[in-house]
Amino acid sequence: MNPQPTEALETVFRLESPRVIAGVARLVRDVGIAEELTQDALVAALEQWPRDGVPDNPGAWLMATARRRAVDLIRRRENYARKLAEIGRDLPTAAAPPEEPAGPDDIDDDLLRLVFTACHPVLSAEARIALTLRLLGGLTTPEIARAFLVPEPTVAQRIVRAKRTLATKNVAFEVPYGPDRAARLGSVLEVIYLIFNEGYAATAGDDWLRPALCEDALRLARVLSALMPKEPEVHGLAALLEFQASRTAARTGTDGAPVLLKDQNRRRWNRMLIARGITALDRAHTTGSGAPGPYVLQAAIAACHATAYAYEETDWPRIATLYGLLAARAPSPVVELNRAVAVSMAEGPAPALILVDALAAEPALRDYHLLPSVRGDLLLRLGREAEARTEFERAASLARNERERELLTRRARGTDG
């Protein structure tokens, strides 16, 4: 027995709770009830571990305790159902749920079922993110609220409503098959991607980076790639996040201010994460049989940056080409804006400015601070400093993150003659 129960319990519960919830949910078919039973197991651990010591396998202890409570609950339900049956034998018998298909495409993993359930499209994007962080990331409601700068009651309400919606809509605790899996997998990947992006470049608040969110998303991507080894887009997302996370230490200065890509000290980039990204990208290419998907293409772009030992060595023509493929595969104004940046580095600011000006009327970019920021940078490189200053000032007024606003304000002031 380990003599440090309180500290161990906190660590174990954060690591093991997703698997415990997933294992119990398979029995009770309800993620809300599964979470409650897992919490009951935690309470039991808080009562017993300080007295008896930490078990040799604490994760297995929590799982066994939660499953016993689940079995008790099922038995109580069955007893209640038998009593109802005795009272109304003439009522029609409910149809048994269909068996899940078994075969080479079958994935019998409770954690994977939990991922697909928490990210079900029946939930809003905000609800999917909150529920995923709660059930799979092991974050508490206050932690999620702090991470996304929203009030705790708002997060709590999202989680409660999400679990209620899954129950009332009778969402099956399962991994979908065939075309349904491909459709649902997009939702799963999007949630993990959004969680990482919020940590990588926070949309609002005083801090530009929230490393804990990046770590949670990266861990989820790694888990998913292990659970779904034949899905190239899963490996593509994992590769993309590995590459992006490798730059974390160099993306802010000692004062927390953002450091632009061209100014980053690349010796501070994490070479182990870059190596992991290269491996994941290779897996994506070897498992894919058709044209690369959006996450694989984005990972390939990130790889161009990660493998350049100096900013001047960056293969901008290849990046511009990859963005062209991405724009064809998953068209969006933001992708076009990023393509314009790559074109500016490969061909010069003048042709890129034409691309950016073509995006000025896009409704999705009307309040997007990076549009005037990119335009300001292009104008500055063309020697049109007064126009550039106006663009940087507009970008600063639109930025919701305090660190980005300060950076853009400094860039506006730097154009003063």
Side-chain angles (χ1 to χ4, degrees), residues 31-105:
V31 294
I33 293 173
E35 187 185 14
E36 291 174 8
L37 294 172
T38 303
Q39 292 288 342
D40 288 345
L42 172 63
V43 172
L46 286 169
E47 293 172 351
Q48 294 184 37
W49 291 9
R51 181 186 67 232
D52 303 332
V54 179
D56 294 332
N57 191 335
W61 189 98
L62 287 170
M63 178 69 83
T65 303
R67 287 174 68 89
R68 279 198 300 271
R69 282 161 169 72
V71 170
D72 290 342
L73 176 63
I74 292 170
R75 285 173 178 163
R76 289 197 298 272
R77 286 175 173 175
E78 289 175 346
N79 289 335
Y80 179 66
R82 271 197 300 270
K83 290 178 182 177
L84 285 180
E86 291 170 3
I87 295 171
R89 293 184 183 280
D90 58 334
L91 294 177
T93 304
E99 290 289 329
E100 293 177 351
D105 198 36

Side-chain angles (χ1 to χ4, degrees), residues 133-186:
L133 286 175
R134 176 64 170 268
L135 298 181
L136 291 150
L139 273 67
T140 64
T141 299
E143 287 172 332
I144 299 170
R146 283 197 301 272
F148 285 90
L149 303 178
V150 293
E152 286 185 34
T154 300
V155 172
Q157 197 173 55
R158 285 176 185 171
I159 293 172
V160 169
R161 285 178 177 172
K163 290 187 285 190
R164 185 186 303 135
T165 298
L166 293 175
T168 56
K169 297 285 187 180
N170 293 317
V171 172
F173 183 69
E174 65 182 7
V175 177
Y177 292 83
D180 288 342
R181 180 185 295 176
R184 289 267 296 278
L185 180 59

